[in-house]
Amino acid sequence: MFAKRTHQSDSFSKHRAGKSVSKTKRSFREQAATSRRVERATALDTSLPVESNLTSPIITLCVGPEQRLFAAHEDVLANSPFFSAIIRGQFLESTSKRVNLPEEIPEVFSCVLEYLYKGDYYPRLLHNKRRNTWELEDAETNNGGRGAVESTVYHPGTQQTLLKDTLLYCTADRYGLEELKRLALRKQGLQSGIQCSTILASSRYAYENTPDSDSKLRAHYLALIIRSRNTFKRSGTMQVEMERGGKMFFDLYVAMQVSFPVTHLVPLIWTAF
C-alpha cells in the first residue's frame, strides 16, 4: 500500500487503521507458520535454523568503516548464498573465522542478522486478525518494544539519509535473501511521514543498486510518486532530481502514460512538478 499525501508538510503520510483493543495481533512469523493462505511474497523461509540447533562455529564480522564487530553462527550465515561462498573458504581466513564487510552499514547489517535468526527484524510485521491487515509493531507501547525506531539511516557512501527498508532490500539482493527482500518491501509500504527529499534520494539509490530485471522496489517508488504527485509538486527537491535525470524519470514518464490519458500527459509530466 502506498502512502497518501498530507496537506501539512513536505512529506507523505498514509491513512492507517486504528489499533484494535483485542489482542489478536500475531507476528509475521507466527502467521506464516499457521496459515497457508498467506501470499508467498510474505512467507518466511522455513530453512532458517532454530535456536536449538545453533551449535556451529562462531564467525566474527567487521562491519562498516569503523569495523563494528558482530558475531553469528556459521550455519545461520550459510542460509545466504553470499556468506555460504565465504564460508566454503573463498575469502574466510580459516584460523580467525573473520569476515570484513567495510562497505556495509552496521544498522542495516544488524537487521539482516536479526532476520537470519528470527525470520523478521524490528519493528516486526504483525497480522491484525480482526482487521485482516498487516501492521508494524508499535515500538513504544507493545510489550517487549525497544522504543522508537528510525525509519531512515544515514548512508555515508551517498552522504544522504535513506529509507532503511530500501537499504535492506538492496543488501538482501546482494546476499541472495529473496524472502527478506519481500519483507522489507512490505514494511516500507507501511511507513509514513517521510520527507519527499528522502523518498527521492532513496528511489535513486534503489535504481542504482538493483538490476533492471528486479522491478518491484522501483515500481513501489514510481507508484508512490504518481499517487502523491501533488505533494511532490510542492517539493523543490523534485525539480532538482528531474534536472539530474536518470532512468527513474524515464520510467516515471512511461508509468504516467499508463496512469493518465495521453491528452493530459504533457501538462502532467512537464508542469505538474
Side-chain angles (χ1 to χ4, degrees):
M1 180 182 293
F2 296 105
K4 298 179 182 178
R5 67 186 180 88
T6 177
H7 296 281
Q8 297 179 350
S9 63
D10 184 24
S11 66
F12 79 92
S13 62
K14 63 186 290 296
H15 175 74
R16 299 178 70 172
K19 297 177 185 176
S20 169
V21 294
S22 62
K23 296 182 180 180
T24 57
K25 292 182 179 179
R26 292 184 292 170
S27 71
F28 187 66
R29 188 182 188 92
E30 292 166 347
Q31 176 70 5
T34 59
S35 174
R36 293 183 179 275
R37 293 177 299 174
V38 178
E39 58 183 296
R40 192 184 190 287
T42 62
L44 289 174
D45 184 350
T46 56
S47 65
L48 294 177
V50 295
E51 293 184 9
S52 60
N53 293 331
L54 299 180
T55 58
S56 60
I58 297 293
I59 294 180
T60 301
L61 304 113
C62 300
V63 180
E66 297 181 358
Q67 294 190 323
R68 283 181 55 181
L69 297 180
F70 292 83
H73 291 85
E74 185 176 299
D75 286 350
V76 174
L77 291 174
N79 283 283
S80 159
F82 175 86
F83 286 110
S84 180
I86 293 177
I87 291 169
R88 287 198 303 267
Q90 188 173 357
F91 303 109
L92 186 63
E93 302 172 15
S94 59
T95 55
S96 64
K97 296 287 184 180
R98 188 184 186 95
V99 177
N100 293 315
L101 302 168
E103 303 300 322
E104 301 296 350
I105 300 173
E107 293 82 356
V108 175
F109 188 77
S110 175
C111 294
V112 174
L113 284 186
E114 186 172 6
Y115 167 79
L116 287 173
Y117 275 97
K118 300 179 179 180
D120 201 348
Y121 62 91
Y122 192 75
R124 294 179 301 163
L125 191 62
L126 302 177
H127 184 253
N128 188 320
K129 186 176 180 181
R130 181 184 176 188
R131 300 178 184 276
N132 194 27
T133 59
W134 290 96
E135 304 169 358
L136 289 177
E137 179 178 21
D138 190 323
E140 304 218 6
T141 61
N142 246 12
N143 291 333
R146 308 177 196 171
V149 175
E150 291 292 336
S151 59
T152 58
V153 173
Y154 178 75
H155 188 277
T158 62
Q159 297 185 336
Q160 291 178 306
T161 298
L162 305 176
L163 284 168
K164 182 178 71 173
D165 293 318
T166 288
L167 293 170
L168 259 170
Y169 185 100
C170 296
T171 301
D173 184 67
R174 293 196 302 273
Y175 291 170
L177 298 170
E178 292 299 319
E179 297 297 339
L180 178 55
K181 288 169 61 178
R182 285 186 273 268
L183 179 59
L185 185 60
R186 169 158 284 196
K187 285 190 176 186
Q188 180 160 302
L190 296 174
Q191 297 290 351
S192 63
I194 309 299
Q195 295 295 317
C196 289
S197 57
T198 301
I199 297 171
L200 292 171
S202 299
S203 63
R204 185 175 289 277
Y205 180 90
Y207 263 81
E208 293 173 350
N209 291 275
T210 55
D212 291 341
S213 58
D214 184 352
S215 62
K216 293 182 178 64
L217 182 59
R218 299 180 181 191
H220 168 88
Y221 279 111
L222 295 177
L224 174 58
I225 293 171
I226 290 174
R227 293 181 61 178
S228 304
R229 60 190 178 280
N230 290 332
T231 298
F232 284 92
K233 179 180 179 180
R234 299 194 301 269
S235 171
T237 308
M238 186 67 184
Q239 181 176 349
V240 173
E241 288 293 325
M242 290 186 71
E243 290 173 354
R244 288 180 62 188
K247 190 176 188 303
M248 182 183 75
F249 290 98
F250 174 79
D251 288 350
L252 181 61
Y253 177 88
V254 173
M256 291 186 75
Q257 280 185 308
V258 175
S259 301
F260 300 98
V262 175
T263 54
H264 298 157
L265 180 61
V266 173
L268 277 171
I269 289 292
W270 304 115
T271 66
F273 296 116

PDB file of all heavy atoms in Angstrom, residues 54-72:
ATOM      1  N   LEU A  54      21.748 -24.338  17.079  1.00  0.00           N
ATOM      2  CA  LEU A  54      22.852 -23.416  16.860  1.00  0.00           C
ATOM      3  C   LEU A  54      24.095 -23.925  17.576  1.00  0.00           C
ATOM      4  O   LEU A  54      24.453 -23.480  18.671  1.00  0.00           O
ATOM      5  CB  LEU A  54      22.471 -22.013  17.355  1.00  0.00           C
ATOM      6  CG  LEU A  54      21.265 -21.390  16.656  1.00  0.00           C
ATOM      7  CD1 LEU A  54      20.970 -20.017  17.208  1.00  0.00           C
ATOM      8  CD2 LEU A  54      21.482 -21.314  15.148  1.00  0.00           C
ATOM      9  N   THR A  55      24.752 -24.867  16.945  1.00  0.00           N
ATOM     10  CA  THR A  55      25.960 -25.458  17.532  1.00  0.00           C
ATOM     11  C   THR A  55      27.178 -25.275  16.641  1.00  0.00           C
ATOM     12  O   THR A  55      28.257 -25.773  16.969  1.00  0.00           O
ATOM     13  CB  THR A  55      25.742 -26.961  17.784  1.00  0.00           C
ATOM     14  OG1 THR A  55      25.410 -27.595  16.548  1.00  0.00           O
ATOM     15  CG2 THR A  55      24.617 -27.180  18.790  1.00  0.00           C
ATOM     16  N   SER A  56      27.023 -24.587  15.524  1.00  0.00           N
ATOM     17  CA  SER A  56      28.131 -24.414  14.582  1.00  0.00           C
ATOM     18  C   SER A  56      29.101 -23.355  15.094  1.00  0.00           C
ATOM     19  O   SER A  56      28.787 -22.585  16.002  1.00  0.00           O
ATOM     20  CB  SER A  56      27.588 -24.020  13.210  1.00  0.00           C
ATOM     21  OG  SER A  56      26.868 -22.806  13.293  1.00  0.00           O
ATOM     22  N   PRO A  57      30.286 -23.282  14.499  1.00  0.00           N
ATOM     23  CA  PRO A  57      31.287 -22.299  14.936  1.00  0.00           C
ATOM     24  C   PRO A  57      30.787 -20.864  14.793  1.00  0.00           C
ATOM     25  O   PRO A  57      29.938 -20.561  13.964  1.00  0.00           O
ATOM     26  CB  PRO A  57      32.471 -22.570  14.000  1.00  0.00           C
ATOM     27  CG  PRO A  57      32.274 -23.966  13.539  1.00  0.00           C
ATOM     28  CD  PRO A  57      30.806 -24.184  13.464  1.00  0.00           C
ATOM     29  N   ILE A  58      31.360 -19.995  15.607  1.00  0.00           N
ATOM     30  CA  ILE A  58      31.023 -18.573  15.581  1.00  0.00           C
ATOM     31  C   ILE A  58      31.956 -17.855  14.611  1.00  0.00           C
ATOM     32  O   ILE A  58      33.168 -18.087  14.608  1.00  0.00           O
ATOM     33  CB  ILE A  58      31.161 -17.944  16.977  1.00  0.00           C
ATOM     34  CG1 ILE A  58      30.170 -18.598  17.946  1.00  0.00           C
ATOM     35  CG2 ILE A  58      30.932 -16.437  16.914  1.00  0.00           C
ATOM     36  CD1 ILE A  58      28.726 -18.314  17.620  1.00  0.00           C
ATOM     37  N   ILE A  59      31.380 -16.995  13.799  1.00  0.00           N
ATOM     38  CA  ILE A  59      32.154 -16.178  12.863  1.00  0.00           C
ATOM     39  C   ILE A  59      32.048 -14.718  13.285  1.00  0.00           C
ATOM     40  O   ILE A  59      30.951 -14.229  13.601  1.00  0.00           O
ATOM     41  CB  ILE A  59      31.655 -16.357  11.424  1.00  0.00           C
ATOM     42  CG1 ILE A  59      31.934 -17.783  10.952  1.00  0.00           C
ATOM     43  CG2 ILE A  59      32.305 -15.345  10.487  1.00  0.00           C
ATOM     44  CD1 ILE A  59      31.467 -18.066   9.540  1.00  0.00           C
ATOM     45  N   THR A  60      33.159 -14.031  13.296  1.00  0.00           N
ATOM     46  CA  THR A  60      33.193 -12.611  13.620  1.00  0.00           C
ATOM     47  C   THR A  60      33.100 -11.798  12.336  1.00  0.00           C
ATOM     48  O   THR A  60      33.789 -12.106  11.351  1.00  0.00           O
ATOM     49  CB  THR A  60      34.493 -12.243  14.364  1.00  0.00           C
ATOM     50  OG1 THR A  60      34.573 -13.021  15.567  1.00  0.00           O
ATOM     51  CG2 THR A  60      34.511 -10.761  14.716  1.00  0.00           C
ATOM     52  N   LEU A  61      32.260 -10.795  12.349  1.00  0.00           N
ATOM     53  CA  LEU A  61      32.078  -9.943  11.170  1.00  0.00           C
ATOM     54  C   LEU A  61      32.415  -8.498  11.532  1.00  0.00           C
ATOM     55  O   LEU A  61      31.881  -7.953  12.505  1.00  0.00           O
ATOM     56  CB  LEU A  61      30.634 -10.042  10.670  1.00  0.00           C
ATOM     57  CG  LEU A  61      30.171 -11.467  10.349  1.00  0.00           C
ATOM     58  CD1 LEU A  61      29.081 -11.898  11.325  1.00  0.00           C
ATOM     59  CD2 LEU A  61      29.681 -11.586   8.923  1.00  0.00           C
ATOM     60  N   CYS A  62      33.311  -7.903  10.766  1.00  0.00           N
ATOM     61  CA  CYS A  62      33.708  -6.499  10.966  1.00  0.00           C
ATOM     62  C   CYS A  62      32.971  -5.663   9.935  1.00  0.00           C
ATOM     63  O   CYS A  62      33.237  -5.776   8.733  1.00  0.00           O
ATOM     64  CB  CYS A  62      35.211  -6.345  10.797  1.00  0.00           C
ATOM     65  SG  CYS A  62      36.173  -7.330  11.971  1.00  0.00           S
ATOM     66  N   VAL A  63      32.067  -4.823  10.402  1.00  0.00           N
ATOM     67  CA  VAL A  63      31.133  -4.143   9.507  1.00  0.00           C
ATOM     68  C   VAL A  63      31.368  -2.637   9.502  1.00  0.00           C
ATOM     69  O   VAL A  63      31.505  -2.015  10.562  1.00  0.00           O
ATOM     70  CB  VAL A  63      29.681  -4.437   9.933  1.00  0.00           C
ATOM     71  CG1 VAL A  63      28.701  -3.744   9.006  1.00  0.00           C
ATOM     72  CG2 VAL A  63      29.438  -5.948   9.937  1.00  0.00           C
ATOM     73  N   GLY A  64      31.394  -2.071   8.291  1.00  0.00           N
ATOM     74  CA  GLY A  64      31.491  -0.632   8.131  1.00  0.00           C
ATOM     75  C   GLY A  64      32.906  -0.124   8.257  1.00  0.00           C
ATOM     76  O   GLY A  64      33.829  -0.853   8.661  1.00  0.00           O
ATOM     77  N   PRO A  65      33.103   1.161   7.931  1.00  0.00           N
ATOM     78  CA  PRO A  65      34.452   1.745   8.002  1.00  0.00           C
ATOM     79  C   PRO A  65      35.006   1.782   9.423  1.00  0.00           C
ATOM     80  O   PRO A  65      36.217   1.797   9.618  1.00  0.00           O
ATOM     81  CB  PRO A  65      34.250   3.165   7.444  1.00  0.00           C
ATOM     82  CG  PRO A  65      32.787   3.439   7.593  1.00  0.00           C
ATOM     83  CD  PRO A  65      32.096   2.122   7.442  1.00  0.00           C
ATOM     84  N   GLU A  66      34.115   1.768  10.420  1.00  0.00           N
ATOM     85  CA  GLU A  66      34.574   1.784  11.809  1.00  0.00           C
ATOM     86  C   GLU A  66      34.770   0.385  12.368  1.00  0.00           C
ATOM     87  O   GLU A  66      35.100   0.214  13.539  1.00  0.00           O
ATOM     88  CB  GLU A  66      33.575   2.570  12.671  1.00  0.00           C
ATOM     89  CG  GLU A  66      33.473   4.032  12.276  1.00  0.00           C
ATOM     90  CD  GLU A  66      32.492   4.790  13.147  1.00  0.00           C
ATOM     91  OE1 GLU A  66      31.879   4.153  14.035  1.00  0.00           O
ATOM     92  OE2 GLU A  66      32.349   6.003  12.958  1.00  0.00           O
ATOM     93  N   GLN A  67      34.542  -0.629  11.534  1.00  0.00           N
ATOM     94  CA  GLN A  67      34.769  -2.038  11.884  1.00  0.00           C
ATOM     95  C   GLN A  67      34.024  -2.444  13.149  1.00  0.00           C
ATOM     96  O   GLN A  67      34.603  -3.022  14.080  1.00  0.00           O
ATOM     97  CB  GLN A  67      36.266  -2.316  12.036  1.00  0.00           C
ATOM     98  CG  GLN A  67      37.045  -2.175  10.731  1.00  0.00           C
ATOM     99  CD  GLN A  67      38.467  -2.676  10.861  1.00  0.00           C
ATOM    100  OE1 GLN A  67      39.117  -2.519  11.883  1.00  0.00           O
ATOM    101  NE2 GLN A  67      38.969  -3.300   9.799  1.00  0.00           N
ATOM    102  N   ARG A  68      32.744  -2.163  13.175  1.00  0.00           N
ATOM    103  CA  ARG A  68      31.929  -2.637  14.289  1.00  0.00           C
ATOM    104  C   ARG A  68      31.827  -4.152  14.242  1.00  0.00           C
ATOM    105  O   ARG A  68      31.669  -4.750  13.170  1.00  0.00           O
ATOM    106  CB  ARG A  68      30.542  -2.003  14.232  1.00  0.00           C
ATOM    107  CG  ARG A  68      30.535  -0.569  14.710  1.00  0.00           C
ATOM    108  CD  ARG A  68      29.152   0.042  14.669  1.00  0.00           C
ATOM    109  NE  ARG A  68      28.172  -0.741  15.411  1.00  0.00           N
ATOM    110  CZ  ARG A  68      26.895  -0.414  15.507  1.00  0.00           C
ATOM    111  NH1 ARG A  68      26.459   0.688  14.888  1.00  0.00           N
ATOM    112  NH2 ARG A  68      26.057  -1.148  16.199  1.00  0.00           N
ATOM    113  N   LEU A  69      31.927  -4.787  15.379  1.00  0.00           N
ATOM    114  CA  LEU A  69      32.008  -6.241  15.433  1.00  0.00           C
ATOM    115  C   LEU A  69      30.639  -6.874  15.673  1.00  0.00           C
ATOM    116  O   LEU A  69      29.879  -6.443  16.537  1.00  0.00           O
ATOM    117  CB  LEU A  69      32.963  -6.668  16.551  1.00  0.00           C
ATOM    118  CG  LEU A  69      34.425  -6.245  16.387  1.00  0.00           C
ATOM    119  CD1 LEU A  69      35.248  -6.744  17.560  1.00  0.00           C
ATOM    120  CD2 LEU A  69      35.002  -6.765  15.069  1.00  0.00           C
ATOM    121  N   PHE A  70      30.345  -7.901  14.870  1.00  0.00           N
ATOM    122  CA  PHE A  70      29.168  -8.728  15.035  1.00  0.00           C
ATOM    123  C   PHE A  70      29.643 -10.179  15.090  1.00  0.00           C
ATOM    124  O   PHE A  70      30.703 -10.519  14.578  1.00  0.00           O
ATOM    125  CB  PHE A  70      28.193  -8.556  13.868  1.00  0.00           C
ATOM    126  CG  PHE A  70      27.554  -7.200  13.799  1.00  0.00           C
ATOM    127  CD1 PHE A  70      28.209  -6.127  13.201  1.00  0.00           C
ATOM    128  CD2 PHE A  70      26.283  -6.990  14.329  1.00  0.00           C
ATOM    129  CE1 PHE A  70      27.615  -4.879  13.129  1.00  0.00           C
ATOM    130  CE2 PHE A  70      25.680  -5.743  14.259  1.00  0.00           C
ATOM    131  CZ  PHE A  70      26.345  -4.687  13.660  1.00  0.00           C
ATOM    132  N   ALA A  71      28.826 -11.025  15.705  1.00  0.00           N
ATOM    133  CA  ALA A  71      29.134 -12.450  15.763  1.00  0.00           C
ATOM    134  C   ALA A  71      27.898 -13.232  15.344  1.00  0.00           C
ATOM    135  O   ALA A  71      26.775 -12.884  15.703  1.00  0.00           O
ATOM    136  CB  ALA A  71      29.561 -12.860  17.162  1.00  0.00           C
ATOM    137  N   ALA A  72      28.104 -14.279  14.563  1.00  0.00           N
ATOM    138  CA  ALA A  72      26.984 -15.092  14.096  1.00  0.00           C
ATOM    139  C   ALA A  72      27.455 -16.526  13.892  1.00  0.00           C
ATOM    140  O   ALA A  72      28.633 -16.780  13.639  1.00  0.00           O
ATOM    141  CB  ALA A  72      26.422 -14.534  12.787  1.00  0.00           C
TER     142      ALA A  72
END
